[in-house]
Amino acid sequence: MKMTKFFAWLAIAIGVIYFFVPLIGTFEFSLRMRRGEYSFDAYDSVFSDAAFRATFGFSMLMALLTIIFGMLLIVPTAYWVRLRVPQMRPVMEFITLMPLVIPAIVIVFGYLRLYNSSSYIPFTGSTFGTNILLVMSYITLSLPYMYRSVDTAMRTIDVRTLTEAAEILGAKWPTILFRCIFPNVMSGVLSGAFITFAIVMGEFTMAALLNRPAFGPYLQLVGANKAYEPSALAVIAFAITWLSMGLLQLVSRFSKMAPSRA
């Protein structure tokens, strides 16, 4: 028994060292911009950079649009599959898992081939169209996480009974979706939203190949040309990811507590 506890604590210690020592080293290096003393000059340089504010704001906007349109696509689809064609669930799960198998560079090259300026739908012919294509790309990347989060949330409710009760009361399909289904799967939507936010903020391939001013390409550009600012940006990106994961855990905890209150 004592040996089991020893190896358990040893595994925890190794995990802590493996994950946190590099982060601590990165943070410590980011404070060395001023010779001979620690300072937050690297962070001041990052936050005062107009390119940082522009790229961070752009990625925040893209993340918000991805979450909104991804939610409007995924929730009705998962609802319809579970209610009307449950035999298609394995097919939908296979389709939504494809972005994990197909590399992002292959996906974006396929989009460029289909929607270039000489195609029938020339998304890349304008800045607005390219932004739409980027949001579509991000929705594709988030499909495995958003769909499974929503589908898991729908397993906890009786979709058919809710729908039949709403129809008996005279509710139409938009009312059923937005006033019955969405509130009951909000925990799954928020879980998928936080993961999507973390993915979009750090994504490089699609934004770079579509030549959009996103945060991921900015991280790569700073890393190739400066010394201390990349470490500061790495710490900031890590903090964003952990904030998203913390909010995800918070939502999961509240969703588990909710049935006990009912």
Side-chain angles (χ1 to χ4, degrees):
M1 187 69 178
K2 291 183 178 180
M3 290 299 294
T4 304
K5 288 185 177 180
F6 170 77
F7 284 114
W9 281 108
L10 179 63
I12 293 173
I14 293 173
V16 170
I17 292 171
Y18 180 81
F19 285 107
F20 286 99
V21 169
L23 178 63
I24 294 171
T26 302
F27 177 68
E28 192 269 343
F29 182 77
S30 70
L31 302 176
R32 288 180 172 270
M33 189 172 182
R34 187 179 301 176
R35 186 180 298 274
E37 60 179 301
Y38 289 129
S39 71
F40 288 94
D41 289 352
Y43 294 88
D44 290 337
S45 176
V46 168
F47 288 122
S48 62
D49 187 2
F52 168 80
R53 296 192 296 270
T55 56
F56 190 83
F58 179 82
S59 289
M60 287 279 288
L61 177 61
M62 293 296 104
L64 180 62
L65 293 175
T66 301
I67 291 168
I68 292 173
F69 288 107
M71 175 183 65
L72 293 176
L73 172 67
I74 296 297
V75 174
T77 301
Y79 167 69
W80 184 258
V81 169
R82 179 164 288 276
L83 182 67
R84 298 299 185 189
V85 282
Q87 67 275 12
M88 291 295 293
R89 285 189 63 237
V91 177
M92 287 301 302
E93 290 183 356
F94 175 78
I95 293 173
T96 55
L97 287 174
M98 289 301 291
L100 296 178
V101 180
I102 303 174
I105 192 169
V106 175
I107 295 174
V108 72
F109 268 116
Y111 283 154
L112 289 172
R113 181 70 175 174
L114 285 172
Y115 305 115
N116 59 58
S117 56
S118 60
S119 67
Y120 292 108
I121 310 177
F123 278 133
T124 59
S126 65
T127 300
F128 180 74
T130 307
N131 289 339
I132 293 176
L133 188 58
L134 183 62
V135 171
M136 290 169 55
S137 303
Y138 287 155
I139 291 174
T140 301
L141 285 184
S142 67
L143 275 178
Y145 313 101
M146 182 69 81
Y147 181 83
R148 298 186 81 82
S149 297
V150 172
D151 187 62
T152 301
M154 282 195 180
R155 293 180 186 181
T156 63
I157 63 175
D158 191 341
V159 173
R160 188 173 298 277
T161 300
L162 279 174
T163 303
E164 290 175 354
E167 288 177 337
I168 289 172
L169 294 173
K172 303 298 182 181
W173 282 106
T175 304
I176 295 173
L177 272 175
F178 288 100
R179 300 193 63 179
C180 297
I181 302 302
F182 267 95
N184 283 284
V185 299
M186 191 53 65
S187 62
V189 170
L190 291 176
S191 298
F194 292 135
I195 298 175
T196 299
F197 177 79
I199 291 171
V200 172
M201 293 304 296
E203 202 281 328
F204 168 79
T205 304
M206 292 183 171
L209 292 178
L210 290 174
N211 195 28
R212 303 310 303 136
F215 191 55
Y218 172 77
L219 290 174
Q220 188 276 333
L221 181 64
V222 173
N225 294 282
K226 296 183 179 181
Y228 298 98
E229 287 85 348
S231 298
L233 284 170
V235 173
I236 293 170
F238 185 83
I240 292 171
T241 302
W242 272 80
L243 177 62
S244 299
M245 297 306 294
L247 291 173
L248 174 59
Q249 291 295 323
L250 190 64
V251 168
S252 300
R253 180 173 298 181
F254 281 136
S255 66
K256 290 177 181 178
M257 293 171 61
S260 62
R261 297 196 194 103

